[in-house]
């Protein structure tokens, strides 16, 4: 079993999987007569067809026991999916590159600083939300429309990944 090293979440490191949604280092301009700073277009909502809709939801997540074994990853082939923490808490992100199925040796783990959200690009393999806190809330922006938009892949026993507790 391979142990995943948890990396700090940065725009550069996460670029193969999607966008980091944060104000630090992001372009901005002033609006509302100079009273508001707009950090513009931090991520794009991807949808597969013109009939699809971008939707906004709130997910309330429960923490998993640590250490944690990564047994499965999912992907959304018809749209992107963004997670923005509402309570300012760091959270864990486990991802693998786009492909027919995730490759165990290419899986990476990141930790948000609690002020960063993420936007998974269409087809990026990822674990469902992994909160560090006992319970946490996330604003989620994703796609609604016809067709199956969630594929799951379960790893064989010799491909399972171990996620150590975050320090």
């Amino acid at each position: 079993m391979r142990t995943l090293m948890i990396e700090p979440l940065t725009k550069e490191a996460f670029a193969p999987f999607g966008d980091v949604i944060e104000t630090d280092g992001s372009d901005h301009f002033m609006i509302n007569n100079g009273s508001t700073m707009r950090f513009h277009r931090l991520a794009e909502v991807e949808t597969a067809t013109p009939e699809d809709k971008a939707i906004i939801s709130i997910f309330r997540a429960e923490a998993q026991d640590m250490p944690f074994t990564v047994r499965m990853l999912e992907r959304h082939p018809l749209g992107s999916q963004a997670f923005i923490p509402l309570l300012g808490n760091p959270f864990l992100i486990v991802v693998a590159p786009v492909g027919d199925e995730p490759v165990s040796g290419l899986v990476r783990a990141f930790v948000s600083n609690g002020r960063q959200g993420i936007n998974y690009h269409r087809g990026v393999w990822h674990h469902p939300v992994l909160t560090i806190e006992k319970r946490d809330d996330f604003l989620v922006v994703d796609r609604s429309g016809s067709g199956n938009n969630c594929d799951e892949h379960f790893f064989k026993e010799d491909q399972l990944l171990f996620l150590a507790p975050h320090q």
Side-chain angles (χ1 to χ4, degrees), residues 99-162:
D100 291 337
E101 61 183 44
V103 176
S104 178
L106 298 179
V107 174
R108 293 174 68 185
F110 297 93
V111 61
S112 158
N113 64 17
R115 296 178 314 281
Q116 301 165 303
I118 49 97
N119 183 50
Y120 297 120
H121 287 171
R122 283 177 53 195
V124 166
W125 290 100
H126 61 278
H127 194 278
V129 66
L130 288 168
T131 180
I132 295 170
E133 295 298 317
K134 180 177 171 80
R135 175 181 283 165
D136 213 346
D137 287 349
F138 297 84
L139 183 77
V140 177
V141 180
D142 60 357
R143 170 222 177 255
S144 178
S146 62
N148 177 29
N149 192 32
C150 187
D151 299 327
E152 294 179 333
H153 175 83
F154 291 86
F155 291 111
K156 296 176 182 152
E157 282 298 315
D158 63 342
Q159 297 175 320
L160 297 178
L161 301 160
F162 177 75

